[in-house]
Amino acid sequence: MGLLTVLKKLKQKEKEIRLLILGLDNAGKTTILKRINGEDISSISPTLGFNIKTLAYNGYKLNIWDVGGQKSIRSYWRNYFEQTDGLVWVVDSADRPDRFADCKLELHGLLTEERLSGASLLIFANKQDLPGALSSEEIAELLDLKTIQTHHWQIVGCSAVTGENLLKGMDWVVTDISKRIYMLD
Amino acid sequence: MSRRAVVDVTPDAVLKFNKPTEKFLCPVSANTFIEFLEFRIRDVESNRAMFEVKRPSHEIDWNARDLSGSDELRKISYTFPAEFLSYKAIGTTLVFAVCPAGIKNFRMIERHYFKNRLIKSFDFTFGFCIPGSVNTWESVYTMPPLDSDQIQEMIDSPDQTMSDSFYFVDDELIMHNKASYRYST
């Protein structure tokens, strides 16, 4: 249970944190969620709603919401912004070139949302195991991440299939959230 | 029977219950909102399913649902191997379909008792559910550590571990299920 060890870092005052996983369809959001929970990832179909994981550990609670990324569902994303401490934006690093423009547009749109204004932002450059996958530096360039001033952000190259760097990314976002809450205190 | 709850059962009222209810607190016909598709209980460490039920298909005909089910269908009796009581972490997964109109605010409260004493309470707010969506929720929690006397007492007391599950739409009770548990050696 890698995630439970990440949770151990939380301090007493952040009893409950909420992460929202978003991204275009087929980015690998659900696969990442299942992978970090030690579940089978061999047959995952498009998410036509949400997948939620609630992890309770020693009185701490981590709620992770993964909402489907198909175009028809994206207009419902805003229903899940409330109380989000961390936004995890998942990118298919081997996606068709024309989809990166869409990906950038959707991400920058979210960053103007008031209800997400306090959230830490983790970008997972997923599918690094695929030939032709762009590096996290190239993804950062395509998504114009350096212009983001409003949120703490970090990009992590990862693979949901091999598990590479998933916990590293989750650890960053949980640590960033707990530091931020500590400073507000 | 009317479609409304028999008494005014609010989430706050349910959260004060300290023993299993004697009756079901709403009619089966109150649920015009959701349909359960799958339910699974797993040992998180080994990722082994302890219990699993699935509908053969996720397709629901919302105009032709049978809401006349008897109370027997709202009760389930589980038999688990005694080793269940010594697992460190348990994951329960619920997959459900949402009616074409969607749901504004969906919430579940589950109260677990042993010998009429509250041992665990879950309170989870799903909030908004996308019209016509299929959604998954897994709750992973660590088991309270039990000493060997407590474990023996639970094994020796079949069906005295019980739970009531209450489902609310906009704070109105739409579904009430009961379960009892026994542990075999």
Side-chain angles (χ1 to χ4, degrees), chain A residues 1 4 18 34 37-40 47-58 61 63 65 67-68 73 76 79-80, chain B residues 40 42 44-45 47 89 93 96 106 123-142:
Chain A
M1 273 312 286
L4 287 181
R18 173 167 166 138
K34 291 203 165 213
N37 277 286
E39 288 172 84
D40 179 31
T47 302
L48 305 172
F50 55 63
N51 291 305
I52 309 169
K53 296 276 172 201
T54 306
L55 298 147
Y57 181 85
N58 276 354
K61 209 187 256 180
N63 286 316
W65 295 67
V67 186
I73 297 182
Y76 294 113
N79 292 286
Y80 301 97
Chain B
R40 190 162 53 246
R42 68 173 177 127
V44 173
E45 274 192 321
N47 191 31
T93 301
F96 60 95
F106 184 40
D123 180 359
F124 191 76
T125 299
F126 297 88
F128 177 81
C129 298
I130 298 170
S133 58
V134 172
N135 307 288
T136 304
W137 174 46
E138 182 178 39
S139 170
V140 174
Y141 56 95
T142 45

Side-chain angles (χ1 to χ4, degrees), chain B residues 139-154:
Chain B
S139 170
V140 174
Y141 56 95
T142 45
M143 295 280 272
L146 299 167
D147 65 35
S148 55
D149 287 349
Q150 288 169 312
I151 288 178
Q152 195 57 48
E153 194 188 355
M154 292 182 97

Side-chain angles (χ1 to χ4, degrees), chain B residues 106-183:
Chain B
F106 184 40
R107 177 173 176 184
M108 188 214 76
I109 297 172
E110 193 166 270
R111 308 282 279 176
H112 287 252
Y113 309 96
F114 177 60
K115 291 191 171 172
N116 287 344
R117 199 177 71 240
L118 183 74
I119 52 172
K120 203 159 182 58
S121 179
F122 296 90
D123 180 359
F124 191 76
T125 299
F126 297 88
F128 177 81
C129 298
I130 298 170
S133 58
V134 172
N135 307 288
T136 304
W137 174 46
E138 182 178 39
S139 170
V140 174
Y141 56 95
T142 45
M143 295 280 272
L146 299 167
D147 65 35
S148 55
D149 287 349
Q150 288 169 312
I151 288 178
Q152 195 57 48
E153 194 188 355
M154 292 182 97
I155 294 168
D156 291 342
S157 316
D159 300 328
Q160 296 206 49
T161 312
M162 300 170 91
S163 64
D164 278 309
S165 308
F166 304 96
Y167 298 84
F168 296 91
V169 166
D170 298 336
D171 287 348
E172 189 171 322
L173 186 67
I174 60 128
M175 192 171 18
H176 178 191
N177 296 325
K178 285 179 166 289
S180 62
Y181 309 80
R182 53 176 65 197
Y183 305 97

Side-chain angles (χ1 to χ4, degrees), chain A residues 104-161:
Chain A
K104 173 182 160 185
L105 199 70
E106 295 282 4
L107 172 62
H108 285 268
L110 290 175
L111 299 181
T112 63
E113 289 287 344
E114 199 180 325
R115 283 172 301 159
L116 292 175
S117 61
S120 306
L121 171 66
L122 168 69
I123 298 104
F124 265 140
N126 190 27
K127 308 198 189 183
Q128 290 296 319
D129 56 300
L130 290 184
L134 301 179
S135 68
S136 53
E137 292 77 16
E138 288 169 305
I139 299 286
E141 191 68 32
L142 280 171
L143 301 185
D144 208 10
L145 298 183
K146 63 178 186 305
T147 62
I148 299 174
Q149 310 269 331
T150 46
H151 295 67
H152 283 188
W153 63 270
Q154 179 72 257
I155 183 165
V156 173
C158 73
S159 163
V161 171

Side-chain angles (χ1 to χ4, degrees), chain A residues 20-32:
Chain A
L20 178 61
I21 306 183
L22 295 176
L24 301 190
D25 45 298
N26 200 40
K29 299 177 288 298
T30 305
T31 310
I32 287 176

